[in-house]
Amino acid sequence: MTNPVLVEVLRGGHVESFHRGAWAVVDADGALLSHGGDIDRPIFPRSAVKVLQALPLVASGAADHFGLDDAALALACASHGGEPEHVAVAGRVLAQLGLDEHALECGAHWPGFEPAKLALARTGDEPHALHNNCSGKHAGFACLGCWLAKGQGQEARGFLSGYVQPEHPVMQAVSHALETATGFALRDAPMGVDGCSIPTFGIPLRHLALGFARVATGQGLGAEHARAALRLRQAVARQPFMVAGTGRFDTQVMQHFGERVFCKVGAEGVYCAAFPEHGLGVALKVDDGNNARAAEVAMAALIAAWVQKDDDDAAVLTPLSHPRLSNWRGVGVGALQPSAHFLAAASKSK
């Protein structure tokens, strides 16, 4: 199957290039309300499913026991830019556990937010695990691991060793949450290693969208996972900066929409979202893996189609769904836009 064009790149009013992909909009009963392209091909959702991976952190009681606040819970769902606020919250969570960044197995990279990267470089220091965009998620894993270790009467640091491996109890709990939320048997799924070293599973867009519809409503989740999903959504709505950062799509959208939209990017052109007011979940994949442009444009178009209600909403979404392109002199050279086919099909059953 050749997937449809989702996003076009214009220069001089002419389509210079385009991005194909697939999307699904699903309700919590699994009814398909809007879709296009191959939504049954397993794709690696990558960081788009961090909220699903964080469900055991809250459902187990670990977050309450160790006193994680909204900022910490939002960071557990984040792909942050390594800004000082992000690093501080991740470090604070570990300190509450009696740990430090050496307990994290996500690896280190320079902050994604350019000013934070330059500021760190000016100090002469090297980046460490807290700068990793997944450090909040891994701090959450460490919190869950400490709770599991406590229940088994084991020493926490030793128990945590190797927590990124598929057979470790932490990853077993995370994978179980992912499987039950999406309704897709992970034993049948392709498995790889994510950028932060945890397992990543190939899951069809249809099932990813269902998982986010369940996050939106709690329907189809066990009672504790439903409670966890609500708490995580509320934490992100209260602390949207933590889930991404300065100038980032997810932070911008959730600062404006609050609990009306939960959205999360994943590497290689993946986006997932929950629209709680409507009880819907959304998942999309851009075939060529274009995150910074195409995936954001497509997600903004879907939010506009299913959630937008007034002029203020439109004022936030229009620059995201139809961003202008400028050259190095600041001269406008073109734009991106959702394709006419995608716009028509994305909302035709609304």
Side-chain angles (χ1 to χ4, degrees), residues 56-330:
L57 168 64
V58 177
S60 67
D64 285 338
H65 178 80
F66 291 106
L68 270 60
D69 60 9
D70 286 340
L73 292 176
L75 200 71
C77 302
S79 295
H80 63 74
E83 296 179 63
E85 298 91 333
H86 301 130
V87 174
V89 171
R92 172 167 57 80
V93 170
L94 292 174
Q96 289 170 226
L97 302 174
L99 302 171
D100 58 24
E101 68 269 17
H102 299 294
L104 301 185
E105 298 182 0
C106 54
H109 62 68
W110 288 94
F113 183 58
E114 189 72 10
K117 179 173 71 174
L118 293 175
L120 179 60
R122 281 194 292 268
T123 69
D125 290 337
E126 295 290 324
H128 51 68
L130 296 182
H131 296 105
N132 189 302
N133 77 95
C134 295
S135 65
K137 176 177 76 172
H138 280 254
F141 292 158
C143 181
L144 175 60
C146 287
W147 178 246
L148 296 175
K150 180 180 176 66
Q152 296 181 21
Q154 297 189 38
E155 187 271 327
R157 192 176 290 270
F159 181 86
L160 281 173
S161 179
Y163 71 82
V164 297
Q165 298 303 317
E167 65 276 5
H168 193 281
V170 169
M171 283 303 107
Q172 288 289 301
V174 169
S175 297
H176 176 71
L178 184 60
E179 179 172 272
T180 55
T182 62
F184 190 71
L186 297 189
R187 66 178 179 275
D188 300 327
M191 187 178 78
V193 178
D194 215 331
C196 67
S197 296
I198 70 166
T200 181
F201 298 93
I203 301 172
L205 290 172
R206 181 195 301 269
H207 287 269
L208 291 170
L210 174 62
F212 276 77
R214 289 173 169 174
V215 165
T217 64
Q219 182 179 334
L221 299 177
E224 291 305 315
H225 278 183
R227 180 182 68 86
L230 175 60
R231 186 173 175 193
L232 289 166
R233 286 196 293 102
Q234 291 175 335
V236 169
R238 293 169 186 148
Q239 295 282 344
F241 175 81
M242 286 296 155
V243 83
T246 302
R248 297 276 299 282
F249 181 102
D250 290 338
T251 289
Q252 288 179 279
V253 167
M254 290 187 283
Q255 278 177 338
H256 174 77
F257 284 94
E259 290 188 51
R260 294 164 60 198
V261 175
F262 176 93
C263 58
K264 183 65 187 69
V265 69
E268 296 299 324
V270 180
Y271 243 111
C272 292
F275 300 159
E277 285 183 319
H278 306 284
L280 302 178
V282 178
L284 70 87
K285 163 74 172 171
V286 176
D287 289 348
D288 60 16
N290 188 292
N291 269 32
R293 303 197 310 182
E296 291 182 359
V297 168
M299 179 51 71
L302 286 166
I303 296 170
W306 292 90
V307 180
Q308 176 184 322
K309 290 183 177 177
D310 58 29
D311 291 343
D312 289 340
D313 297 339
V316 170
L317 291 173
T318 299
L320 299 175
S321 63
H322 293 75
R324 313 304 297 178
L325 300 177
S326 300
N327 67 13
W328 293 108
R329 291 183 59 216

